[in-house]
Amino acid sequence: MSLNVAVIYYSATGTVFELAKAAATAAEKAGAEVRLRKVRELAPEEAIASNKGWAEHVLATQHVAEATHDDLEWADVLIIGAPTRFGLPAAQMKQFIDTTGPLWGQGKLINKVVTSFTASSTHHGGQESTILALNNTFYHWGAIIVPPGYADPIQFQMGNPYGTSHTSSNGEVMPGEVELAAIEFQTKRTVEVAAAYQYGLSHV
Ligand SMILES: Cc1cc2nc3c(=O)[nH]c(=O)nc-3n(C[C@H](O)[C@H](O)[C@H](O)COP(=O)(O)O)c2cc1C
């Protein structure tokens, strides 16, 4: 049974992008059809230009297609990533989420199998609250939220049962072995749950 997986992310300075790419690779490895999509940038050009890392990342990811409602409809599984901004998901991701009203109104987001991940500068800088804030929306969608929990030994190293989270020291540190293994596990688990759900539906 082939599943469609959309990895939808926002990243200013590239740390969430590294996790998003690893999620896309893991989903492909799990046998899914995969779309890797960034949400639209909303910040003014002068803000982006004032931060070297941000400007470079925008250039480096020009080839990545922007997320659309078609991606949401197409996907059986949504893997959503956004950096922490004052303990909440980045506004760019929130804005994309806020455009989904019409899909929600038609019931098209019901039973999407969803999981999410984040990055922040510091360990206790809002990683859990960012993922939980994303989950608030997924409850409204009627999605099926899949947490990684401590369902694999890597989770005891990564340490966040709500979703993979990376501590970037203000964008200086990219996700390492542990975070990449954790997002791989989280993706695999989410795809497996979605496959079991689809199998169950086809045998009701
Ligand atoms: C406006 C703003 C608010 C932020 N708020 C937080 C925060 O509350 N806690 C934290 O630890 N890091 C915070 N950060 C840092 C980012 O979350 C962190 O650098 C993250 O790794 C960026 O991900 P990216 O490289 O994918 O853009 C903030 C950054 C910005 C620009």
Side-chain angles (χ1 to χ4, degrees):
M1 180 181 309
S2 181
L3 289 168
N4 293 339
V5 175
V7 180
I8 298 179
Y9 75 95
Y10 174 73
S11 184
T13 51
T15 51
V16 167
F17 179 54
E18 290 304 311
L19 294 174
K21 281 191 298 184
T25 303
E28 274 165 14
K29 210 165 128 188
E33 290 289 315
V34 181
R35 292 183 186 177
L36 175 64
R37 300 286 187 260
K38 66 188 179 196
V39 298
R40 182 168 298 171
E41 182 55 86
L42 302 173
E45 273 178 32
E46 56 270 29
I48 298 170
S50 71
N51 178 326
K52 191 164 168 281
W54 195 356
E56 284 173 0
H57 180 68
V58 168
L59 268 183
T61 53
Q62 270 177 336
H63 63 285
V64 180
E66 282 184 2
T68 64
H69 286 185
D70 176 65
D71 297 319
L72 295 175
E73 276 199 74
W74 169 84
D76 304 298
V77 175
L78 293 166
I79 303 182
I80 309 284
T84 294
R85 295 277 187 266
F86 302 121
L88 292 167
Q92 288 84 347
M93 178 59 75
K94 181 64 166 63
Q95 168 62 20
F96 177 69
I97 284 171
D98 287 356
T99 68
T100 63
L103 285 183
W104 167 84
Q106 296 166 68
K108 290 188 170 169
L109 299 169
I110 293 171
N111 295 344
K112 298 288 178 187
V113 178
V114 182
T115 199
S116 56
F117 60 95
T118 191
S120 71
S121 184
T122 59
H123 278 305
H124 301 286
Q127 295 175 346
E128 293 177 7
S129 59
T130 298
I131 288 173
L132 292 171
L134 287 166
N135 284 350
N136 279 335
T137 292
F138 307 148
Y139 291 118
H140 283 251
W141 286 357
I144 299 165
I145 298 169
V146 180
Y150 292 93
D152 184 272
I154 192 64
Q155 289 301 110
F156 291 94
Q157 291 185 60
M158 196 274 293
N160 187 344
Y162 301 90
T164 301
S165 53
H166 170 63
T167 303
S168 72
S169 298
N170 222 8
E172 301 279 317
V173 180
M174 283 292 153
E177 214 175 297
V178 169
E179 293 83 13
L180 294 174
I183 191 72
E184 180 172 358
F185 164 68
Q186 185 178 351
T187 300
K188 184 168 167 277
R189 172 171 161 82
T190 307
V191 170
E192 283 170 1
V193 168
Y197 172 65
Q198 295 286 349
Y199 179 85
L201 277 185
S202 64
H203 286 74
V204 170

